[in-house]
């Protein structure tokens, strides 16, 4: 995301200036969040460090990853707009730090001060970008899904390197890419091998590295 007047750092600064109450919460890797109805009904979590997977709350034992969200994302924000049941389950992919805000305070901060209206756009742009990227992947041909999965993760979380490559965080594992892509295991690993053999991706230690001039340029332009 490009640096703008409305970003999560500025949200934190102004909410502190406005004495909006919050609780700093540290959560270990592989923990579930917002599992209690009272928590879903009353709180929003801002990720200040780490990565969290969103899984569709579809009642299945092994739900697929809908998106992976990182620093600056507000979890459970949609329930502030729609009082129906939460549509997602949340699981940490790394050790995480959060700021926990009450929905009452969030509503007050976002709606009572005209100068804060821009934060609503920033938050929704972040959320809808994840939804848009997922829809692009889901509607693509099966043969393109894994390539688009890497591209999506690169655009959302990748770090451009001096050699023109883009590196994904260690927290994003191969199993997470498989779940996000919604491919069968056989198709996933076949396509993964193809991307490796054609020098489009490689694994360096514990990080996936993407070789794409288009992706690299896009990240440089957005920062």
């Amino acid at each position: 995301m490009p640096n703008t007047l409305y970003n999560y750092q500025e949200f934190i600064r102004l909410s502190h200036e406005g004495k909006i109450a919050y609780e700093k919460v540290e959560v270990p890797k592989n923990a579930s969040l917002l599992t209690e109805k009272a928590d879903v009904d009353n709180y929003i979590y801002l990720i200040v460090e780490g990565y969290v997977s969103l899984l569709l709350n579809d009642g299945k034992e092994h739900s697929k990853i809908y998106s992976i969200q990182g620093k600056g994302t507000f979890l459970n924000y949609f329930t502030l707009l729609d009082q129906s049941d939460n549509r997602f389950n949340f699981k940490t992919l790394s050790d995480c730090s959060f700021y926990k805000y009450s929905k009452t305070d969030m509503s007050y901060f976002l709606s009572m001060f005209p100068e804060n209206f821009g934060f609503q756009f920033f938050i929704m742009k972040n959320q809808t970008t994840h939804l848009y990227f997922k829809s692009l992947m889901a509607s693509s041909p099966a043969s393109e899904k894994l390539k688009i999965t890497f591209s999506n993760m690169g655009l959302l979380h990748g770090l451009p390197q001096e050699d023109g490559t883009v590196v994904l965080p260690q927290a994003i594992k191969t199993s997470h890419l498989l779940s996000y892509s919604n491919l069968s295991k056989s198709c996933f690993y076949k396509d993964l091998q193809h991307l490796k053999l054609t020098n489009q991706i490689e694994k360096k230690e514990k990080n996936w590295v993407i070789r794409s001039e288009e992706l690299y340029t896009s990240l440089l332009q957005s920062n």
Side-chain angles (χ1 to χ4, degrees):
M1 298 287 178
N3 293 321
T4 64
L5 175 62
Y6 297 104
N7 53 44
Y8 80 95
Q9 296 98 328
E10 187 67 5
F11 177 91
I12 291 172
R13 186 184 72 79
L14 291 177
S15 66
H16 288 182
E17 276 189 8
K19 301 189 184 305
I20 302 300
Y22 72 98
E23 177 186 354
K24 189 168 185 181
V25 180
E26 304 289 340
V27 180
K29 180 180 177 180
N30 293 327
S32 295
L33 298 171
L34 295 152
T35 57
E36 302 295 330
K37 188 176 187 304
D39 213 17
V40 173
D41 288 346
N42 293 294
Y43 297 103
I44 291 171
Y45 287 66
L46 168 60
I47 306 173
V48 293
E49 198 64 51
Y51 296 91
V52 176
S53 63
L54 273 66
L55 301 100
L56 285 175
N57 189 9
D58 54 12
K60 295 180 180 178
E61 185 178 355
H62 300 290
S63 296
K64 299 291 186 180
I65 290 177
Y66 193 84
S67 74
I68 294 175
Q69 305 198 350
K71 189 184 296 185
T73 301
F74 289 80
L75 303 179
N76 201 41
Y77 183 78
F78 283 138
T79 63
L80 185 65
L81 311 176
D82 179 1
Q83 296 302 314
S84 60
D85 290 339
N86 180 38
R87 293 180 173 84
F88 297 103
N89 294 319
F90 306 93
K91 187 174 182 179
T92 58
L93 301 182
S94 64
D95 292 344
C96 292
S97 298
F98 302 94
Y99 284 168
K100 180 180 177 181
Y101 296 94
S102 77
K103 287 185 179 179
T104 301
D105 287 340
M106 281 285 290
S107 295
Y108 171 75
F109 180 76
L110 293 173
S111 62
M112 293 301 292
F113 303 97
E115 63 270 25
N116 292 337
F117 287 172
F119 287 114
Q120 298 181 44
F121 173 77
F122 161 74
I123 294 169
M124 288 306 299
K125 180 182 177 183
N126 181 291
Q127 296 287 330
T128 54
T129 296
H130 284 269
L131 300 179
Y132 174 65
F133 284 177
K134 182 69 173 187
S135 69
L136 288 180
M137 190 280 296
S139 61
S140 65
S143 59
E144 295 293 316
K145 287 186 186 296
L146 185 55
K147 185 175 181 178
I148 295 173
T149 290
F150 273 101
S151 178
N152 287 357
M153 290 299 109
L155 288 168
L156 292 168
H157 307 299
L159 297 174
Q161 306 297 300
E162 291 182 356
D163 63 359
T165 62
V166 175
V167 175
L168 297 185
Q170 285 188 14
I172 300 179
K173 307 293 186 186
T174 306
S175 59
H176 303 144
L177 299 173
L178 168 61
S179 182
Y180 179 87
S181 72
N182 207 28
L183 290 167
S184 67
K185 280 189 176 182
S186 60
C187 288
F188 175 86
Y189 284 106
K190 176 177 65 70
D191 293 345
L192 190 70
Q193 185 67 8
H194 170 73
L195 293 177
K196 287 180 181 177
L197 291 174
T198 53
N199 207 32
Q200 297 181 65
I201 61 169
E202 69 171 311
K203 192 76 173 286
K204 283 189 177 178
E205 296 181 357
K206 296 183 178 180
N207 297 81
W208 279 109
V209 178
I210 307 168
R211 291 191 179 88
S212 167
E213 184 177 347
E214 181 181 358
L215 175 61
Y216 176 78
T217 302
S218 180
L219 286 175
L220 289 185
Q221 290 174 346
S222 66
N223 292 325

